Amino acid sequence: MSLKDKLPGVLGFGTAPLGNMFRAIPEDEAQATVEAAWSHGVRYFDTAPFYGSGLSEIRLGQALSNYNRDDYVLSTKVGRVILDEVEAGSRDLGEKSGVFEHGRPNKMLNDYSADATLRSIEDSLERLQTDRLDIVWVHDIAQDFYGDQWLEYFNQARTGAFKVLTRLREEGVIKAWGLGVNRVEPCELTLDLAEAQPDGFLLAGRYTLLDHERALQRLMDSALAQHVEIVVGGPYSSGILAGGTHFEYQPANPAIISKVEQIKAIAQVFGVSVKAAALQFSLAHPAVAAVIPGASRPGRIAEDVAALSEKIPAAFWQALREARLISDRAPLPL
């Protein structure tokens, strides 16, 4: 059974914003956003201990406690154990420094060992107020967090988390596992391992309208050939494709801003919303099982749902190709 068969639809909800990503979100607004997702038919929710040091999981668990557990699919991540101890100084989050400065102050321990994986799952179940997880992703074993040490963490996960999650899947405790990363290389490496057989990858920011060339060159075809499907996280490239100012979780540089403005100009000519183009572009690749945009305001959910069904003329995609804004190799939603 493929990952697509385990997911309830092509649109999920990425709950990183519920961990106070970039700003402190009022509690009632966070709860209302999850409720809006539910009322619009979203039944796949993704979270992680990393998002606000457990805050996203706590808020999501509270909101979903109002619904029948059999009616939705839930995924979280392993690799960070949240401690009761409070962080005294600034956190080292690699390229993501400052993203969750408004989250809980609890210390996070980076640990991908077997024991830490099991502890992380138990802690997540408690924060999420649930008795089971459907999908577990191994989080951030990549260059953007660990620099030149990333392969050390990858190998720790290979001998620890990968084996634990494979066993839990075989025992029926979870339905699927894979990597949840912002880089292509860890996914490539995992596909080459004889002993690891993930069900999919949650790949954030690397198969978007704005940034997809490397994924096309290095990952998408091989993932498809091995029946390892992709959940696209961050389809709005940290927000800049949805009217925000961030790319890769940091203020966008002039080159990125210029590219986005070119996309917007062509979209305006054809009367296309950039949100619709972003979601439909990512979903057009046959390896992609779902997209999971994030939201911190209830109104954003309706926009995402509408974007999926918006009619986009073929001439729009042709104009993007002629302007060299999308790859000739990318499948298009025609």
Side-chain angles (χ1 to χ4, degrees):
M1 186 182 293
S2 74
L3 194 60
K4 289 179 182 178
D5 296 324
K6 298 177 177 73
L7 294 173
V10 298
L11 180 66
F13 180 24
T15 67
L18 300 188
N20 282 352
M21 186 168 75
F22 301 131
R23 70 182 182 96
I25 301 167
E27 194 64 39
D28 59 347
E29 191 173 335
Q31 296 300 311
T33 302
V34 180
E35 290 166 10
W38 187 275
S39 68
H40 281 89
V42 174
R43 296 294 184 269
Y44 171 40
F45 300 87
D46 175 74
T47 185
F50 178 69
Y51 304 154
S53 292
L55 180 59
S56 172
E57 288 186 321
I58 291 168
R59 285 174 159 174
L60 182 62
Q62 179 60 40
L64 292 180
S65 67
N66 299 314
Y67 306 108
N68 188 323
R69 180 62 186 87
D70 293 336
D71 290 343
Y72 61 89
V73 170
L74 182 61
S75 63
T76 192
K77 306 180 184 73
V78 295
R80 271 64 169 251
V81 175
I82 309 301
L83 307 179
D84 292 331
E85 186 180 351
V86 170
E87 191 80 59
S90 60
R91 303 176 192 264
D92 181 9
L93 302 180
E95 296 177 12
K96 308 299 184 292
S97 294
V99 173
F100 290 106
E101 62 181 337
H102 301 290
R104 299 201 308 163
N106 299 60
K107 276 189 175 180
M108 290 186 293
L109 180 65
N110 299 321
D111 194 336
Y112 298 86
S113 67
D115 288 345
T117 298
L118 291 170
R119 177 182 171 183
S120 179
I121 289 172
E122 287 298 319
D123 290 349
S124 289
L125 289 172
E126 183 175 348
R127 287 189 292 266
L128 286 162
Q129 302 181 43
T130 188
D131 62 349
R132 66 189 185 276
L133 301 169
D134 298 299
I135 304 169
V136 177
W137 308 110
V138 183
H139 206 188
D140 288 332
I141 41 174
Q143 309 92 308
D144 52 331
F145 275 93
Y146 300 117
D148 292 341
Q149 291 183 295
W150 80 272
L151 284 172
E152 296 174 30
Y153 284 95
F154 182 93
N155 282 322
Q156 185 186 60
R158 181 179 61 82
T159 58
F162 289 13
K163 291 185 176 181
V164 167
L165 296 177
T166 297
R167 175 172 58 81
L168 292 178
R169 181 184 62 192
E170 290 171 351
E171 293 173 353
V173 176
I174 62 175
K175 295 177 181 177
W177 74 272
L179 307 190
V181 291
N182 299 278
R183 292 290 183 270
V184 169
E185 290 82 2
C187 302
E188 283 186 272
L189 199 53
T190 303
L191 288 177
D192 288 340
L193 296 175
E195 73 272 21
Q197 295 182 324
D199 300 275
F201 300 124
L202 198 175
L203 184 63
R206 299 284 75 77
Y207 195 72
T208 73
L209 185 63
L210 192 58
D211 184 352
H212 52 268
E213 191 68 58
R214 190 172 185 83
L216 283 170
Q217 291 173 354
R218 306 284 293 271
L219 177 64
M220 304 302 283
D221 288 345
S222 55
L224 188 63
Q226 295 189 42
H227 308 290
V228 177
E229 292 164 333
I230 310 293
V231 173
V232 173
Y236 301 138
S237 293
S238 297
I240 195 162
L241 288 175
T245 59
H246 287 83
F247 174 74
E248 283 294 274
Y249 309 99
Q250 303 294 332
N253 64 41
I256 291 295
I257 293 171
S258 174
K259 188 173 181 180
V260 171
E261 289 303 316
Q262 292 177 69
I263 293 172
K264 285 181 179 178
I266 294 173
Q268 189 171 14
V269 169
F270 289 93
V272 170
S273 78
V274 176
K275 267 194 167 187
L279 293 189
Q280 293 184 36
F281 173 83
S282 293
L283 284 168
H285 199 289
V288 173
V291 291
I292 53 168
S296 61
R297 293 182 173 89
R300 303 297 190 203
I301 305 295
E303 294 175 10
D304 294 337
V305 173
L308 281 183
S309 57
E310 183 177 320
K311 300 297 183 184
I312 299 179
F316 166 76
W317 301 111
Q318 185 60 36
L320 288 183
R321 278 222 164 121
E322 289 174 357
R324 307 188 69 82
L325 292 169
I326 53 174
S327 170
D328 289 340
R329 298 178 55 187
L332 297 177
L334 300 174

